[in-house]
Amino acid sequence: MAAGGLGRYLVRRGIEAAFTLFLASVLVFAMVAALPGDPAQVILGDRGTPDQVRALRVYLGLDRPLPLQYGNWIVRIAHGDLGHSLINGAPVAEIVGRALPLTLQLSLWAFAVVVLIAFPAGVFAATRPRSPVTVALRWYHGWALAVPVFWLGVVLSWYFGVVLKWLPPSGFAGFGVNPTAWARSLLLPGITLGLGVGSVMARFVEASLGDVLSNDYIRTARAKGLPARAVVWRHALGNALIPIVTVLGIQAGFFIGGAVITEAVFAIPGLGSMLWRSILTRDYLVTQSVILVGIAAFVGINLCTDALYGLLDPRVRYQ
């Protein structure tokens, strides 16, 4: 793939990503504005008089038309100012900056779980489609996809954390404080978040690899006497990776959405927990910022996924 072609493609995809973020910002602002309840009333509580609520709405700019509120919000974001929390007055950028690394660490653990499930199970099923183990794996994938993340997290926390006491049932330990405690605190949340996606990816690995293994060049490689392991892992799997990477990039959005539930179950103070609290307390600036950061992360991951196509398959040409 020519470097110039990739550059033009990334510029075009970057423009499309910026337009997507703009549309997402409009939708996020509209959805948060449509939430029931008055932020000024929530902040003042039951003790706030109507005059105090009205004055606070003017101070916060909530009395202005929604298009003007959106314009002010997006201009502040363009200057790197996410505003201040309506509940504690802390800068939203600092709040997001503290929570984002925790969610990224949880997502990396979940990604590791996905890889550990998807590739061994998918390759085994593609190379031994009639094996009883393959049939059992397909039953397992169906079960893993049907299990709700919330239920799985509660069960894992209760059984391994409360009954067996092998792992902490909740909480988060920093890597810099105690690496072992950090790994133990993220193991159950990582499994909770990655189990379903791992089964989805295992089915795609099986399907994609199965198609590649039926090609003539694979039969030729086998006829030449190449070891079966080399044919599968060196020749077939590399050519099967493009659809797998595409689906994996799309499934990355599940990590962002699933983190809201997983972090709430395991009391991890990441973006998901922050989003949940901000919705309950009507802290709409935090809510808007967290959702927008999540969407930006999803768009960025898909942009990187598109760029990987050319590295995985030199036959790819971007138009």
Side-chain angles (χ1 to χ4, degrees):
M1 180 186 54
L6 177 59
R8 287 191 296 273
Y9 174 78
L10 290 180
V11 169
R12 181 168 61 82
R13 291 287 292 118
I15 294 173
E16 293 174 356
F19 184 68
T20 301
L21 285 176
F22 166 72
L23 292 180
S25 70
V26 174
L27 291 175
V28 168
F29 183 86
M31 286 190 297
V32 174
L35 289 175
D38 187 340
Q41 185 66 63
V42 173
I43 294 171
L44 293 174
D46 296 335
R47 292 173 297 178
T49 65
D51 289 340
Q52 290 174 324
V53 172
R54 193 178 305 112
L56 184 57
R57 285 181 57 81
V58 172
Y59 175 76
L60 295 174
L62 299 176
D63 61 323
R64 299 172 183 172
L66 285 178
L68 184 57
Q69 293 183 40
Y70 170 78
N72 293 333
W73 177 59
I74 208 69
V75 167
R76 287 200 308 268
I77 290 179
H79 289 83
D81 179 13
L82 299 181
H84 291 73
S85 168
L86 299 180
I87 302 303
N88 56 25
V92 176
E94 290 185 11
I95 297 174
V96 172
R98 287 196 299 269
L100 180 60
L102 275 60
T103 300
L104 290 178
Q105 293 172 53
L106 172 60
S107 298
L108 287 176
W109 271 85
F111 182 79
V113 171
V114 169
V115 172
L116 289 175
I117 293 174
F119 284 94
V123 170
F124 184 92
T127 53
R128 299 171 179 83
R130 295 182 179 82
S131 168
V133 177
T134 298
V135 175
L137 283 173
R138 289 169 181 162
W139 276 97
Y140 159 76
H141 295 324
W143 172 83
L145 288 172
V147 171
V149 172
F150 175 79
W151 181 87
L152 179 63
V154 171
V155 169
L156 291 178
S157 175
W158 166 76
Y159 189 70
F160 292 99
V162 177
V163 177
L164 299 179
K165 300 185 185 304
W166 289 354
L167 295 166
S170 64
F172 175 79
F175 179 83
V177 177
N178 188 332
T180 302
W182 169 78
R184 287 166 52 84
S185 68
L186 286 178
L187 183 56
L188 291 180
I191 293 174
T192 302
L193 193 55
L195 199 66
V197 179
S199 292
V200 172
M201 293 309 305
R203 297 300 299 268
F204 273 95
V205 171
E206 177 186 351
S208 181
L209 184 59
D211 289 340
V212 173
L213 288 174
S214 64
N215 288 332
D216 291 338
Y217 72 92
I218 295 295
R219 284 193 285 270
T220 302
R222 286 172 170 161
K224 289 181 177 179
L226 287 178
R229 184 182 299 272
V231 171
V232 172
W233 289 94
R234 188 184 307 165
H235 298 282
L237 191 58
N239 291 325
L241 277 180
I242 288 183
I244 296 171
V245 169
T246 302
V247 177
L248 188 58
I250 296 173
Q251 290 295 322
F254 177 83
F255 290 162
I256 301 169
V260 176
I261 300 173
T262 305
E263 291 178 359
V265 171
F266 290 96
I268 297 175
L271 283 182
S273 296
M274 183 192 302
L275 177 61
W276 180 253
R277 287 196 302 271
S278 66
I279 292 174
L280 293 179
T281 58
R282 200 66 169 85
D283 197 350
Y284 74 95
L285 278 179
V286 175
T287 303
Q288 291 168 341
S289 299
V290 171
I291 295 177
L292 202 58
V293 167
I295 294 174
F298 179 70
V299 172
I301 290 171
N302 279 274
L303 189 61
C304 294
T305 301
D306 291 344
L308 277 175
Y309 292 167
L311 299 176
L312 293 173
D313 190 349
R315 297 170 299 176
V316 173
R317 293 293 184 272
Y318 298 114
Q319 302 297 324

